[in-house]
Amino acid sequence: MGTVHKTPGEEALANVSGSAVRSFDAEFAGDVVLPADPEYGRERQVWNGMIDRYPAIIARCSGVADVVAAVTFAREQGLPLAVRGGGHNVAGTAVCDGGLVVDLTPMNAVRVDPEERTVRVEGGATLGDVDRETQLFGLATALGAVSQTGVAGLTLNGGYGHLSRQYGLALDNLRSVDVVTADGQVRTASADRNADLFWGLRGGGGALGVVTSFEFELHEVGPEVYAFFTWFHADDAAAVMDRYLEWTADAPREAGVLAFAAHVPELEEFPEETWGEPVVAMLGSYRGDLEDAADVFEPLRTSATPTVDFSGPMEYVALQSMLDEDYPDGLRYYWKSIYLTDVTDEVVEVMLRYNESTPSALSTIDLWHLDGAVGEVPPDATAFRHRDKPYMLTIEANWEDPAEDDANVDWARAAFAEVERLPVASGRYGNFPGLNEDPVERRFGDNYERLVDLKTEYDPTNLFGTTGTVAPRTGAD
């Protein structure tokens, strides 16, 4: 007779009292999904197809009371706890083996106050949910650049996007949050209430609790903006990158551009003779007077002869969703970022050389221009530390075949290691953490000890320990 192998979720659930599970389910207003349920296989999946974890319970919360019940149950039963907002953290922190997943995806309401210029966003909402509602009033808050991304994870770890240089990180636009802490208490945190907790939540990831709603400040944006999206052959990379770095030195706040090394996709929008060729491309936007947009980007556009140029006016919501198809659910991802004080010839050389050698034509190496409003906030004003670096380099390994996991991860890590050795490189970004294999101190720098103090106060038993962030102090510390 063959041996029956149980998944980590089944094993953990078998060690929890059946009556306790039934009682939890009976009092829970949302859906409690267990390993034997037909929807379990679907509900345990997250955006990154590399992540294959088996929780004991998936608690799909309908409201804050459900979140409190789920946190309390996990704490009392000694279960690891993960929190799913959009499920887009590349390390897969939204799901855990043998634990309880607090699934916020049913909680995706967005409420705009156009007079106060604020928006209240529930913890399961995506960027697209927010943009759709705020753009009814010609308003937006600083979020990311892929509409399917969850607001919660993006914001708690930082949040770069098209509006960053003008309005700061997503977390810089927070006025307040509602959070369920490890003791099951519901707290409001802002500059005036629980200010220490508010400090730690802005950059500390999910280490301090489950944020059930966010209140953001809004700004006049759109409904139409100018998108700059131009592709150049890799043979012109030196001239293109030189011009790009000149442009970033005094670019207007209303403009931002991401440069990246990639390969031409096999799509009809691109000339067929260029398919598969290495390129250097730029994606950005301008939110000022549209009549000035062409002049703003002219130095970049004329740095070489473009292979293709998709630039022009478009709706802001279209700009925010134009990359969605490039990052579908279930593709395999390994992303890792490091900050740069300068973009040297060595950095550009690594970008181009590793772009040539990538195992997957879907992968890219991205150079983010930061600076602006992000850098004007003191580095100790929030838990998010690395504000003084004008650039960030991200190695994006994206591929389809599970058999190619090792080749793609090894490629990304090798590229990262070369950049990390350069004197211009330091730090880490919580939203692109690889698989959380690096020491967490590199993410927080001099803010680390204060964040550990907060973790020890609000989560002394490390209930929220699956987030890849700080751990509380122990008696041995």
Side-chain angles (χ1 to χ4, degrees), residues 415-438:
F416 188 90
E418 287 205 29
V419 176
E420 186 181 20
R421 288 193 289 268
L422 299 176
V424 296
S426 64
R428 298 290 188 274
Y429 176 45
N431 278 326
F432 305 150
L435 294 175
N436 282 326
E437 64 267 35
D438 290 348

Side-chain angles (χ1 to χ4, degrees), residues 162-445:
H162 287 290
L163 305 183
S164 294
R165 297 191 64 250
Q166 191 171 5
Y167 299 119
L169 299 165
L171 63 80
D172 294 330
N173 289 265
L174 280 176
R175 288 193 177 183
S176 69
V177 298
D178 292 335
V179 56
V180 178
T181 48
D183 57 4
Q185 297 297 307
V186 182
R187 292 176 164 90
T188 296
S190 68
D192 301 320
R193 300 176 62 186
N194 296 304
D196 59 340
L197 183 58
F198 192 50
W199 181 91
L201 288 166
R202 288 176 295 163
L208 300 177
V210 183
V211 177
T212 56
S213 70
F214 301 78
E215 182 189 18
F216 291 99
E217 183 176 355
L218 293 173
H219 314 277
E220 289 188 13
V221 177
E224 194 172 57
V225 298
Y226 188 90
F228 180 68
F229 197 23
T230 307
W231 297 59
F232 301 92
H233 195 277
D235 289 346
D236 297 315
V240 170
M241 290 303 296
D242 283 348
R243 187 70 62 84
Y244 173 73
L245 295 176
E246 292 174 2
W247 183 86
T248 61
D250 58 2
R253 288 291 187 89
E254 298 85 0
V257 173
L258 166 78
F260 60 98
H263 288 79
V264 178
E266 296 182 5
L267 299 174
E268 62 181 12
E269 291 87 352
F270 295 85
E272 187 171 354
E273 64 272 17
T274 68
W275 287 359
E277 291 185 348
V279 293
V280 172
M282 297 183 191
L283 172 64
S285 68
Y286 178 70
R287 282 86 53 192
D289 190 330
L290 293 183
E291 293 183 0
D292 299 330
D295 291 337
V296 169
F297 294 116
E298 187 66 13
L300 298 176
R301 184 179 284 108
T302 58
S303 59
T305 301
T307 300
V308 64
D309 190 349
F310 298 114
S311 305
M314 67 168 54
E315 298 291 312
Y316 178 71
V317 290
L319 172 69
Q320 287 287 87
S321 60
M322 68 183 300
L323 297 180
D324 288 2
E325 292 184 2
D326 295 331
Y327 302 111
D329 285 356
L331 201 68
R332 308 178 83 77
Y333 302 99
Y334 179 90
W335 296 2
K336 201 166 183 179
S337 289
I338 195 164
Y339 293 97
L340 304 172
T341 57
D342 190 19
V343 180
T344 60
D345 291 343
E346 291 87 351
V347 171
V348 175
E349 191 274 333
V350 169
M351 290 178 64
L352 299 178
R353 175 159 48 88
Y354 275 89
N355 185 51
E356 290 274 4
S357 66
T358 176
S360 170
L362 300 176
S363 296
T364 65
I365 303 179
D366 308 341
L367 181 63
W368 294 70
H369 177 213
L370 310 177
D371 206 7
V374 175
E376 290 178 349
V377 178
D380 60 353
T382 66
F384 186 94
R385 180 74 190 184
H386 298 288
R387 296 177 176 276
D388 57 336
K389 317 298 193 302
Y391 300 96
M392 180 176 71
L393 190 75
T394 301
I395 315 296
E396 280 193 18
N398 313 310
W399 70 100
E400 296 176 328
D401 188 352
E404 298 176 357
D405 284 0
D406 289 345
N408 283 276
V409 172
D410 289 348
W411 169 83
R413 287 177 172 168
F416 188 90
E418 287 205 29
V419 176
E420 186 181 20
R421 288 193 289 268
L422 299 176
V424 296
S426 64
R428 298 290 188 274
Y429 176 45
N431 278 326
F432 305 150
L435 294 175
N436 282 326
E437 64 267 35
D438 290 348
V440 71
E441 292 90 337
R442 296 179 186 177
R443 192 184 309 175
F444 301 107

Side-chain angles (χ1 to χ4, degrees), residues 1 8 25 70 72 88 102 185 191 247 283 285 322 330 423 435 466 474:
M1 185 175 178
D25 190 5
T72 301
H88 270 240
V102 178
Q185 297 297 307
W247 183 86
L283 172 64
S285 68
M322 68 183 300
L435 294 175
T466 66
T474 65

